[in-house]
Amino acid sequence: MMEGYEKAAADAEERLASAADIHAVADIERDLLGRRSQFTEAKRRLGDLDPGDRAAAGRRLNAARERVEASVAAARARLTASGRADRYEAERLDLTERLPRVVPLRRGHLHPVTQARDRLEDVFVGMGYTVAEGPEVESAWYNFEALNIPEWHPARGEFDTIFVNLGQPEEVMLRSHTSPVQIRVMENREPPIYIVAPGRTFRTDTADATHLPAFNQIEGLAVDRNITLGDLAGTIDEFVRALFGREVKARLRPSYFPFTEPSAEFDISRPDGSWLELGGCGMVHPNVLRNCGIDPEEWQGFAFGFGIDRLAVMRHDIDDIREFVNNDVRFLSQF
Ligand code: PHE
């Protein structure tokens, strides 16, 4: 009996070593130390032995039990530790994980229209202008009235305005040009004033190769003493040269805007000898100055406004302005 158990206890370590999990360990433990085990049986039989032999047999039995218990404890420790480690490994979140670098990550860059806008701002800041901004949703006062376009004026129709369903009919709108920023600036500042105001503008145009319903303009406004049309022409010349170099020429053509008098449209020359219309300009109308509390006897001004998207088209020789809003990275990454 005793030998049988000692043999089983000696094998315990090997059996436990191949136990796959703590449940298997518990099974082996029950088999070796449980109520129906050889151990329990041997302990019960100790009482049958001679009292002289009993103590020695008891010691042998206890030594075997301790061996088994130590082996079970070791196996349990091994399996719970590695079980935990396995679970941790499976549940692990690698916060430094990256996509495999099959295609190397590339750094993006600013949209070509944003680049043109930044460049324009730089050129005008270099000429002593500051940058102003106004809201994209405007009232009829800023978008029309204060700019000398009363309600009855046919020019209102020319702007293809997108109205917002707020207030009275045709009272609130998405600004159809950046000229309302002229008014906001003149209302709030004393001359001399030299500002440019770039920003988004909106018209009911259907998108085609040269039009977008949401586009960008940059407005310029100078108000000072003794400002002349020559200053306006010189300013346009100067910025066209700064942007495109000496080969590109600018020209003014007489035109009409209610908020400037005289008014002109300005074009820039293309390599093929044709002219591209870029925007409008003129001397600020005395009514506009008056609407902003500026005395036209003392102060004069010029203003201009043109499309930034158009300018970017020209700069990069792009044949369809819609490319700017298609969001095709193959197109955009070229600039
Ligand atoms: N606001 C005019 C337009 O959008 C352009 C312009 C600006 C003309 C300033 C004259 C002076 O067509």
Side-chain angles (χ1 to χ4, degrees):
M1 184 79 243
M2 186 63 78
E3 283 76 30
Y5 186 64
E6 283 182 318
K7 174 89 182 56
D11 291 345
E13 209 165 334
E14 213 174 308
R15 281 177 71 191
L16 285 162
S18 60
D21 55 29
I22 51 172
H23 304 294
V25 172
D27 288 344
I28 296 167
E29 185 183 30
R30 198 174 327 106
D31 190 35
L32 293 174
L33 298 171
R35 277 196 299 126
R36 270 183 257 282
S37 64
Q38 283 182 322
F39 169 72
T40 303
E41 182 62 20
K43 206 165 58 176
R44 207 172 293 133
R45 296 250 185 107
L46 285 179
D48 301 339
L49 297 176
D50 286 346
D53 298 335
R54 215 182 280 160
R59 274 198 297 277
R60 279 175 63 185
L61 192 60
N62 274 339
R65 175 181 53 84
E66 278 166 19
R67 249 184 102 175
V68 172
E69 280 173 355
S71 301
V72 165
R76 206 167 255 142
R78 169 177 61 80
L79 286 169
T80 47
S82 81
R84 212 185 298 128
D86 283 351
R87 197 170 70 248
Y88 286 173
E89 190 53 42
E91 291 175 358
R92 166 182 164 146
L93 285 177
D94 182 358
L95 300 179
T96 65
E97 194 172 35
R98 293 181 185 216
L99 292 173
R101 284 190 163 238
V102 178
V103 176
L105 295 177
R106 274 178 306 161
R107 194 185 265 266
H109 59 71
L110 294 176
H111 191 280
V113 173
T114 308
Q115 290 180 35
R117 173 187 162 149
D118 285 355
R119 182 85 181 90
L120 280 165
E121 285 183 13
D122 291 350
V123 166
F124 283 107
V125 165
M127 290 164 75
Y129 287 68
T130 56
V131 179
E133 267 182 317
E136 292 177 355
V137 179
E138 272 294 11
S139 65
W141 168 258
Y142 288 105
N143 199 72
F144 293 130
E145 219 107 339
L147 287 163
N148 204 32
I149 315 173
E151 221 175 315
W152 48 265
H153 202 290
R156 283 219 186 181
E158 311 242 313
F159 278 100
D160 300 321
T161 309
I162 298 173
F163 291 99
V164 174
N165 202 356
L166 257 184
Q168 299 296 309
E170 309 205 345
E171 188 181 280
V172 182
M173 62 214 66
L174 299 183
R175 65 180 177 192
S176 48
H177 51 172
T178 43
S179 297
V181 186
Q182 287 186 37
I183 306 300
R184 291 182 173 275
V185 169
M186 286 192 281
E187 275 181 349
N188 288 305
R189 295 193 210 173
E190 299 289 319
I193 292 168
Y194 291 87
I195 59 104
V196 284
R200 289 207 297 171
T201 46
F202 309 85
R203 293 190 195 175
T204 56
D205 286 331
T206 303
D208 63 24
T210 53
H211 295 86
L212 290 173
F215 54 108
N216 293 271
Q217 284 192 336
I218 184 165
E219 193 82 7
L221 173 72
V223 181
D224 208 335
R225 291 191 173 89
N226 305 317
I227 294 249
T228 69
L229 194 65
D231 296 315
L232 170 60
T235 303
I236 287 175
D237 247 12
E238 191 56 38
F239 104 77
V240 168
R241 195 171 305 156
L243 217 58
F244 296 109
R246 296 202 165 270
E247 320 79 62
V248 177
K249 302 214 172 341
R251 76 172 184 192
L252 297 183
R253 269 181 303 116
S255 185
Y256 172 77
F257 297 100
F259 34 94
T260 44
E261 179 59 36
S263 301
E265 251 152 335
F266 67 93
D267 308 330
I268 55 176
S269 65
R270 279 204 276 221
D272 66 0
S274 67
W275 294 90
L276 178 77
E277 184 192 319
L278 212 56
C281 61
M283 302 305 290
V284 180
H285 196 290
N287 287 352
V288 175
L289 293 171
R290 261 184 233 111
N291 286 339
C292 302
I294 294 174
D295 180 3
E297 300 297 327
E298 188 182 353
W299 305 98
Q300 299 79 46
F302 66 72
F304 56 83
F306 57 87
I308 300 176
D309 315 70
R310 286 249 176 114
L311 192 116
V313 158
M314 163 79 191
R315 222 176 152 204
H316 299 297
D317 208 11
I318 291 160
D319 38 47
D320 194 325
I321 201 167
R322 287 171 294 192
E323 295 282 15
F324 284 148
V325 290
N326 284 344
N327 273 341
D328 186 334
V329 173
R330 292 166 303 175
F331 168 79
L332 293 173
S333 62
Q334 301 174 82
F335 308 102

